[in-house]
């Protein structure tokens, strides 16, 4: 389905929800929940928090659906809600005392895997190294990197999601790559 | 450009990359060639980052949980708008509104009945200098050696009453007539027939 077709179909669902048909929101959740969950997971690096924040993002989207003007795609609008929800969560988490609940180490939460071969172990260590370098990036650079590299968003979409000019989105992406390269090199040394 | 394209471009595998101006520039620029290797390694490393695998059941439960949270938030929102939230028995908005109006009506009626209608005005005090002749204690004057005519006694009583009423803590007519200091001789000349 092309973006325009999907937009038309989703806008129709949104109109039905606004007309009082609450069930019409369910297809929108089914369509976007995976991408939203993984986006949030990449930002907060915590499975349980990602699960809860995904739910929270959809509830917020439902409640503020009236404010969606259908000028951008529903997906971009939803991404913006999810990114803001995740950012709020990170700020709240940073205020909590370390060691309580999930602190800094949650950013390096490695998905459970059974211990495998030496090659698997090296892969996991390599991944942890990259993840640590990504986690150390400033928030805006990190989220821009995630949106560009993993979510494959255009700079125009990134600027809409991050509520910043396109030039700022490009600069954040450039700085994120530069910082990552430096950090990776530093870890190698 | 997708992440695979980034990697392919940097790994010199993509036909798109081969034809791009960036690729042509890369071929001829030593500085960019030096930058290319760490950037390619970076994208490869980023591409390897694993994600938690979730079952279909997880996603189905998420849909249900989101629906449930929306339902709860809506129910909470309705209760928030209820003007009688503090009354747990009142859940329906119409009954809550009716109860609110009833309470307002009772309060308004109570206010109307208890508060004076013209609270700025002082109470009216009747002051009359007309002396009721029949009520005067004529017997008090029986012992006087002088004979007072009726008009003189009335004048005396009225003057005394006026003085006592204008004085603070006026005891009234009885005090004026009981007061031994009242000197009737002042009136003798005018009182005699």
């Amino acid at each position: 389905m092309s973006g325009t077709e999907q937009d038309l179909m989703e806008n129709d669902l949104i109109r039905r929800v606004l007309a009082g048909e609450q069930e019409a929101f369910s297809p929108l959740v089914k369509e976007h929940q995976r991408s939203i969950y993984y986006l949030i997971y990449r930002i907060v690096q915590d499975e349980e928090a990602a699960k809860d924040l995904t739910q929270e993002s959809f509830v917020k989207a439902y409640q503020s659906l009236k404010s969606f003007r259908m000028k951008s795609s529903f997906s971009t609008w939803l991404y913006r809600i999810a990114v803001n929800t995740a950012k709020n969560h990170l700020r709240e988490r940073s205020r909590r005392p370390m060691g309580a609940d999930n602190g800094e180490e949650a950013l390096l939460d490695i998905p459970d895997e059974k211990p495998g071969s030496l090659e698997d172990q090296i892969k996991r260590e390599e991944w942890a190294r990259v993840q640590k370098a990504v986690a150390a990036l400033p928030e805006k650079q990190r989220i821009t990197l995630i949106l560009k590299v993993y979510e494959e968003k255009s700079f125009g979409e990134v600027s809409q999601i991050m509520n910043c000019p396109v030039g700022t989105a490009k600069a954040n992406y450039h700085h994120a790559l530069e910082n990552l390269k430096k950090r990776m090199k530093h870890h190698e040394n | 450009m997708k992440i695979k394209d980034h990697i392919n471009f940097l790994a010199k595998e993509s036909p798109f990359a081969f034809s791009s101006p960036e690729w042509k520039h890369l071929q001829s620029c030593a500085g960019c060639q030096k930058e290319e290797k760490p950037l390619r390694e970076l994208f490869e490393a980023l591409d390897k980052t694993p994600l938690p695998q979730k079952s279909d059941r997880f996603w189905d439960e998420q849909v249900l949980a989101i629906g449930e949270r929306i339902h709860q938030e809506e129910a909470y929102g309705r209760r928030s708008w209820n003007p009688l939230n503090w009354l747990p028995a009142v859940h329906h908005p119409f009954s809550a509104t009716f109860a609110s109006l009833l309470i307002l009506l009772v309060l308004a009626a109570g206010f109307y009945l208890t508060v004076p209608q013209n609270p700025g005005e002082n109470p009216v005090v009747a002051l009359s200098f007309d002396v009721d002749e029949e009520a005067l204690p004529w017997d008090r004057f029986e012992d006087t050696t002088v004979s007072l005519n009726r008009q003189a006694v009335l004048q005396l009583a009225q003057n005394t009453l006026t003085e006592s009423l204008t004085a603070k803590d006026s005891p009234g007519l009885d005090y004026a007539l009981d007061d031994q200091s009242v000197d009737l001789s002042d009136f003798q000349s005018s009182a005699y027939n």
Side-chain angles (χ1 to χ4, degrees):
Chain A
M1 195 187 299
S2 72
T4 313
E5 272 179 76
Q6 188 173 350
D7 286 349
L8 287 172
M9 193 191 76
E10 289 183 345
N11 288 349
D12 182 53
L13 287 169
I14 290 163
R15 284 190 199 95
R16 283 165 56 190
V17 175
L18 290 174
E21 196 182 330
Q22 191 183 323
E23 300 75 34
F25 194 66
S26 185
L28 292 167
V29 175
K30 285 176 184 170
E31 176 67 25
H32 295 285
Q33 63 166 334
R34 286 174 173 79
S35 57
I36 293 296
Y37 174 84
Y38 286 122
L39 167 71
I40 293 174
Y41 172 76
R42 287 192 193 278
I43 296 172
V44 301
Q45 289 296 318
D46 179 345
E47 285 187 49
E48 271 307 303
K51 181 183 168 184
D52 187 57
L53 294 171
T54 301
Q55 293 176 12
E56 192 181 324
S57 299
F58 278 104
V59 173
K60 282 181 185 172
Y62 179 86
Q63 287 174 334
S64 50
L65 211 53
K66 280 180 192 170
S67 67
F68 176 58
R69 302 287 174 214
M70 298 183 191
K71 286 177 182 171
S72 64
S73 71
F74 177 70
S75 166
T76 304
W77 185 71
L78 193 58
Y79 264 65
R80 187 168 172 174
I81 292 172
V83 165
N84 286 334
T85 307
K87 280 161 81 175
N88 288 340
H89 172 80
L90 290 178
R91 275 178 205 135
E92 280 171 25
R93 193 162 73 181
S94 68
R95 285 191 210 112
R96 282 183 226 154
M98 293 295 287
D101 196 5
N102 35 23
E104 188 65 32
E105 61 273 16
L107 281 171
L108 301 171
D109 183 22
I110 300 168
D112 288 337
E113 280 180 13
K114 288 174 186 175
S117 62
L118 182 65
E119 196 180 338
D120 290 339
Q121 201 177 332
I122 292 168
K123 273 183 188 174
R124 279 169 64 80
E125 282 172 8
E126 169 75 3
W127 178 80
R129 193 167 63 90
V130 174
Q131 202 57 26
K132 198 174 177 181
V134 172
L137 288 173
E139 187 181 88
K140 284 179 184 174
Q141 290 181 23
R142 187 155 52 86
I143 296 172
T144 303
L145 182 89
I146 290 166
L147 290 168
K148 274 300 292 174
V149 173
Y150 296 113
E151 303 299 328
E152 300 167 0
K153 297 290 180 189
S154 68
F155 281 117
E157 288 172 317
V158 173
S159 71
Q160 282 185 320
I161 294 165
M162 299 290 289
N163 195 27
C164 67
V166 174
T168 306
K170 285 180 179 177
N172 281 334
Y173 183 58
H174 172 75
H175 290 309
L177 290 178
E178 289 301 309
N179 281 334
L180 266 186
K181 278 195 288 183
K182 279 181 200 167
R183 286 172 202 278
M184 300 278 280
K185 205 172 182 178
H186 176 75
H187 279 293
E188 278 172 9
N189 296 335
Chain B
M1 192 182 281
K2 294 184 176 181
I3 190 165
K4 287 288 178 194
D5 294 327
H6 277 289
I7 295 166
N8 290 341
F9 169 73
L10 294 165
K12 308 170 190 175
E13 290 171 0
S14 165
F16 166 75
F18 278 111
S19 62
S20 70
E22 289 88 351
W23 172 249
K24 284 174 186 169
H25 172 77
L26 190 63
Q27 292 292 86
S28 59
C29 178
C32 289
Q33 281 174 12
K34 195 180 170 186
E35 291 291 315
E36 183 248 348
K37 188 174 177 273
L39 202 56
R40 177 165 52 83
E41 286 173 351
L42 173 65
F43 279 112
E44 282 174 346
L46 287 172
D47 195 38
K48 283 175 188 166
T49 53
L51 287 172
Q53 296 305 306
K54 299 293 178 189
S55 64
D56 288 342
R57 190 181 165 187
F58 172 83
W59 300 116
D60 291 342
E61 284 173 356
Q62 275 284 88
V63 175
L64 289 174
I66 290 164
E68 182 63 27
R69 278 178 76 160
I70 287 171
H71 183 73
Q72 282 174 358
E73 293 281 335
E74 283 204 323
Y76 178 77
R78 271 200 299 272
R79 284 187 63 194
S80 306
W81 281 104
N82 187 332
L84 283 183
N85 254 349
W86 47 273
L87 267 181
V90 180
H91 293 302
H92 198 279
F94 290 114
S95 57
T97 308
F98 177 74
S100 301
L101 288 173
L102 194 65
I103 288 172
L104 283 174
L105 193 67
V106 169
L107 288 173
F111 184 78
Y112 181 81
L113 292 173
T114 53
V115 175
Q117 294 307 297
N118 297 303
E121 288 183 13
N122 291 321
V124 175
V125 178
L127 280 174
S128 173
F129 295 101
D130 294 329
V131 178
D132 183 1
E133 293 181 26
E134 299 303 322
L136 286 171
W138 292 103
D139 55 318
R140 300 280 185 95
F141 299 97
E142 284 177 359
D143 294 337
T144 55
T145 53
V146 291
S147 172
L148 297 175
N149 67 10
R150 192 176 181 85
Q151 192 61 39
V153 172
L154 279 175
Q155 186 63 49
L156 171 65
Q158 191 158 351
N159 289 346
T160 311
L161 178 64
T162 304
E163 284 172 11
S164 64
L165 283 176
T166 50
K168 200 175 177 184
D169 299 323
S170 167
L173 181 61
D174 285 343
Y175 173 81
L177 292 178
D178 284 341
D179 190 354
Q180 298 300 312
S181 65
V182 174
D183 185 5
L184 295 176
S185 60
D186 291 344
F187 299 96
Q188 283 179 356
S189 57
S190 60
Y192 284 121
N193 285 324

